[in-house]
Amino acid sequence: MSFFSFGQSAEIDVVLNDAETRKKAEHKTEDGKKDKYFLFYDGETVSGKVNVTLKTPGKRLEHQGIKIEFVGQIELYYDRGNHHEFVSLVKDLARPGEITQSQTFDFEFTHVEKPYESYTGQNVKLRYFLRATVIRRLNDISKEMDIVVHTLSTYPELNSSIKMEVGIEDCLHIEFEYNKSKYHLKDVIVGKIYFLLVRIKIKHMEIDIIKRETTGTGPSVYHENDTIAKYEIMDGAPVRGESIPIRLFLAGYDLTPTMRDINKKFSVRYYLNLVLIDEEERRYFKQQEITLWRKGDVVRKSMSHQAAIASQRFEGSAASESALEQAAKEESG
């Protein structure tokens, strides 16, 4: 047997059985770019073939076994190299021996549990991948193939509206209301803001969607806030008794479902942040947590139709009904 890589070597390729028909999903990589990966859900079978192609035909390749693994792991960036595996399945494809020609091996991981959604954040990464390995005495030959997992939820039964009051004594008093506290990733946030008392000169008002990523435990907890969206509600001074409607479409933003205490390693939460800025550049704000969830693909109505339905439920006004009728005309048109 030759050493220092002068002997036989091989290339490994992993091919899914349903590669031509399986959907792909965009997913952010660690460098911030987006790539497309095969999409799986919890409980789905993962099956395919491992192709081992010899680089020098006719020359034998000795090995200590060939295997494929299905792995789900979490990596905290402040603890690089220390991977926390929450799924680890192994299939042996060949016993120790030798290969004299290129070969293909079938594999199947039946009804695999995939409990968490794939996620790439500021300080943490949760990934699923297949890894095929030809085990050798000196240096293994391996190939990894990442997949993306989405977790689906059912519509929350209890989904009460959010009503809050905020103010500064004798200066400002406002009420704001959002139609729900739980939204799916393609939903529309409908709300309104009512000014009960205005004695300061407000020049600008906006709603921000803030993602808060929390990693680690105890003294090693890191919080990372990221403003996903800024939505201007008002530019100019409001007056007492004024009511301002809010309609914010979530589909255009890079959002994930809310994740709470994933494998006791990290959480991802979302907040609506109401911001008021006065003429002296003082900022007043109020945060409210919302829950985001992913629902399965269904035949989707147009966004204008969704907004009109949400508005009608929330406001219950004749104006909303006319908006609904207008959206229906747009659909048919």
Side-chain angles (χ1 to χ4, degrees):
M1 178 179 178
S2 298
F3 297 94
F4 307 109
S5 77
F6 290 115
Q8 177 65 289
S9 189
E11 288 185 353
I12 303 178
D13 194 24
V14 180
V15 182
L16 297 177
N17 284 341
D18 54 0
E20 292 184 3
T21 56
R22 179 165 291 278
K23 278 182 63 175
K24 287 188 172 183
E26 272 196 350
H27 188 71
K28 189 170 69 174
T29 56
E30 214 173 306
D31 58 7
K33 295 178 183 176
K34 284 192 173 181
D35 285 330
K36 287 196 169 184
Y37 301 92
F38 289 110
L39 175 62
F40 284 84
Y41 299 99
D42 184 25
E44 279 195 294
T45 294
V46 182
S47 64
K49 293 175 171 52
V50 175
N51 299 320
V52 180
T53 306
L54 297 182
K55 288 189 174 178
T56 310
K59 199 171 185 179
R60 68 180 185 172
L61 172 70
E62 293 184 11
H63 63 85
Q64 307 300 309
I66 300 172
K67 65 178 180 179
I68 186 163
E69 301 162 87
F70 181 86
V71 180
Q73 71 179 21
I74 297 170
E75 182 181 12
L76 299 167
Y77 296 165
Y78 65 80
D79 191 18
R80 289 278 190 182
N82 190 8
H83 301 122
H84 307 274
E85 294 187 355
F86 56 88
V87 176
S88 182
L89 305 172
V90 184
K91 298 275 186 186
D92 290 321
L93 303 176
R95 293 178 178 177
E98 60 182 45
I99 298 176
T100 56
Q101 59 185 11
S102 299
Q103 281 186 252
T104 296
F105 303 91
D106 294 315
F107 70 87
E108 181 173 287
F109 295 101
T110 309
H111 304 310
V112 185
E113 183 183 2
K114 311 174 199 73
Y116 311 122
E117 174 137 347
S118 299
Y119 177 74
T120 303
Q122 301 282 85
N123 292 315
V124 62
K125 177 170 64 179
L126 189 154
R127 64 185 283 242
Y128 294 86
F129 60 94
L130 289 160
R131 180 169 55 212
T133 308
V134 177
I135 305 166
R136 302 203 297 176
R137 279 182 185 160
L138 289 180
N139 55 331
D140 295 345
I141 307 168
S142 67
K143 176 72 175 286
E144 292 183 359
M145 185 180 85
D146 280 78
I147 65 167
V148 163
V149 170
H150 282 175
T151 55
L152 301 180
S153 303
T154 54
Y155 194 89
E157 291 180 14
L158 294 173
N159 200 356
S160 55
S161 62
I162 300 170
K163 295 182 181 180
M164 293 188 74
E165 293 186 16
V166 61
I168 305 163
E169 191 174 355
D170 297 328
C171 291
L172 177 70
H173 188 190
I174 63 175
E175 288 181 348
F176 61 92
E177 184 175 0
Y178 305 115
N179 60 328
K180 294 183 286 190
S181 56
K182 300 170 184 173
Y183 297 89
H184 62 78
L185 299 184
K186 307 294 183 185
D187 217 335
V188 186
I189 296 175
V190 175
K192 58 187 174 184
I193 296 171
Y194 187 64
F195 291 85
L196 298 168
L197 176 66
V198 184
R199 285 184 180 160
I200 57 175
K201 293 183 178 180
I202 297 171
K203 70 170 187 177
H204 181 76
M205 190 164 156
E206 69 184 28
I207 281 187
D208 303 337
I209 300 176
I210 295 175
K211 180 176 82 170
R212 181 171 299 156
E213 178 186 290
T214 304
T215 52
T217 55
S220 303
V221 172
Y222 296 83
H223 298 288
E224 195 78 43
N225 287 349
D226 187 13
T227 301
I228 302 294
K230 285 181 181 287
Y231 176 75
E232 185 177 82
I233 300 171
M234 180 193 69
D235 190 10
V239 296
R240 181 179 176 181
E242 189 169 356
S243 180
I244 298 176
I246 300 166
R247 185 168 287 125
L248 177 58
F249 295 89
L250 297 179
Y253 300 111
D254 186 17
L255 301 168
T256 69
T258 295
M259 304 179 187
R260 291 190 173 91
D261 201 21
I262 300 299
N263 204 235
K264 294 185 168 50
K265 295 290 183 293
F266 73 97
S267 297
V268 179
R269 296 171 184 262
Y270 288 89
Y271 298 84
L272 290 177
N273 191 33
L274 179 66
V275 183
L276 290 82
I277 303 170
D278 69 13
E279 289 188 344
E280 295 179 13
E281 298 298 326
R282 288 178 298 202
R283 297 170 67 88
Y284 311 91
F285 61 90
K286 186 73 173 179
Q287 274 191 8
Q288 175 64 41
E289 184 175 3
I290 57 172
T291 300
L292 298 184
W293 54 282
R294 185 188 298 281
K295 70 175 184 178
D297 287 335
V298 293
V299 178
R300 291 197 183 96
K301 306 258 183 182
S302 74
M303 294 303 287
S304 58
H305 196 243
Q306 283 186 42
I309 290 171
S311 184
Q312 186 188 37
R313 285 176 182 158
F314 181 57
E315 296 168 9
S317 65
S320 303
E321 290 173 14
S322 63
L324 189 60
E325 289 168 8
Q326 181 61 35
K329 287 177 185 174
E330 289 175 13
E331 289 259 313
S332 58

